Amino acid sequence: MCGRYTILQDKQTIINRFQIGTDIANFEMSYNVAPGQNVLAVIHDGTKRRAGYLKWGLVPSWSKDKKIGSKMINARMETAHQKPSFKQLMARKRCIVVADSFYEWQRTDMERIPKRIQVDGENLFGFAALWDKWEDENGPLFTCTLLTKEANESIRPIHHRMPIILSEEAEDIWLKDSFRNALEAKQFLDEVDDVHFHYYTVSDVVNNVKHNEKACIEPIS
């Protein structure tokens, strides 16, 4: 799974890298982005790319209770095209969530050790994600979930799952292409080239979502 990440690049760097056609309102950097928070996402509106904030934890449009979002921070790519919560979104509500590293916890017999994971050769990257709009009497709520798959060799020593990270070319297809159905979108993700990672151990200060500070990413021996 993917349950924490960072976004530490400045706004203009992000706009340039993701070819965003508008300003990013209320932009904030973060050392410790967590589920339930607002996350920076990119969509294509048919004319240009736009960026804005979605709440992390998908609430399907048909859900009776928005609390379900806390259980839907990730979606398994292998089955998302079959699941009622994700099937329609795979075909028509796809987005990219912007990040520059993420955290995972390596389990040992005694403890869980936090690792900061970065993509080789990339200062910024996009998670493949899905979004939806839910509404009640208080107005609309826009939410998202990150797609995951089986871990590749470079990250398997830490965890058996990993987020799907797209190349720049794959990002364009993911955002703009009109897949005929959810299965087509899943088949596209099946063919996405794997990225490779490097990582290091960080302090358990990152375990607490209240900590959003440089100490979260500082390496420890």
Side-chain angles (χ1 to χ4, degrees):
M1 63 178 293
C2 179
R4 301 285 181 81
Y5 69 88
T6 68
I7 180 166
L8 302 175
Q9 299 292 318
D10 65 90
K11 179 168 70 170
Q12 193 57 51
T13 298
I14 292 169
I15 288 172
N16 293 343
R17 161 61 178 80
F18 289 96
Q19 303 170 44
I20 297 165
T22 58
D23 189 29
I24 303 173
N26 304 313
F27 174 76
E28 291 185 355
M29 296 185 290
S30 178
Y31 290 97
N32 197 3
V33 184
Q37 297 178 0
N38 290 328
V39 301
L40 182 62
V42 180
I43 65 165
H44 196 279
D45 65 7
T47 303
K48 61 183 180 298
R49 291 186 179 189
R50 294 193 292 117
Y53 284 89
L54 306 171
K55 187 174 181 180
W56 186 5
L58 189 83
V59 181
S61 60
W62 44 262
S63 177
K64 294 181 179 179
D65 190 345
K66 64 182 179 181
K67 292 180 181 178
I68 195 174
S70 63
K71 301 177 181 178
M72 302 182 72
I73 65 169
N74 294 153
R76 295 175 69 95
M77 178 270 288
E78 298 89 344
T79 57
H81 66 292
Q82 300 170 328
K83 301 292 185 180
S85 296
F86 311 126
K87 184 176 181 179
Q88 296 302 317
L89 310 184
M90 286 283 281
R92 58 187 177 86
K93 288 186 177 178
R94 301 180 303 274
C95 64
I96 292 168
V97 171
V98 178
D100 47 37
S101 74
F102 63 99
Y103 300 104
E104 193 52 81
W105 281 257
Q106 185 176 32
R107 292 183 179 274
T108 70
D109 291 339
M110 301 293 294
E111 58 185 338
R112 296 170 70 242
I113 304 170
K115 305 284 185 178
R116 184 188 184 204
I117 303 167
Q118 296 168 289
V119 176
D120 289 355
E122 297 288 347
N123 293 324
L124 271 171
F125 55 81
F127 296 122
L130 306 172
W131 68 274
D132 208 351
K133 176 184 177 182
W134 180 86
E135 291 188 85
D136 67 2
E137 64 277 4
N138 296 314
L141 175 66
F142 295 90
T143 63
C144 66
T145 187
L146 307 185
L147 286 154
T148 67
K149 65 178 182 179
E150 186 175 336
N152 64 23
E153 290 183 5
S154 67
I155 199 173
R156 199 171 294 136
I158 299 177
H159 201 275
H160 66 285
R161 302 289 296 177
M162 60 179 268
I164 298 176
I165 294 171
L166 302 172
S167 68
E168 291 189 46
E169 181 181 1
E171 287 170 2
D172 207 44
I173 297 170
W174 182 248
L175 291 177
K176 291 173 64 177
D177 265 34
S178 298
F179 298 114
R180 288 176 295 179
N181 51 52
L183 178 59
E184 253 190 29
K186 187 261 184 187
Q187 290 170 336
F188 166 74
L189 292 177
D190 282 335
E191 301 300 320
V192 167
D193 290 336
D194 260 346
V195 298
H196 295 279
F197 303 100
H198 58 278
Y199 50 84
Y200 60 88
T201 302
V202 295
S203 166
D204 61 7
V205 69
V206 74
N207 293 0
N208 190 330
V209 299
K210 293 180 180 179
H211 295 154
N212 183 7
E213 58 206 53
K214 191 175 181 180
C216 291
I217 65 168
E218 291 178 340
I220 64 169
S221 56

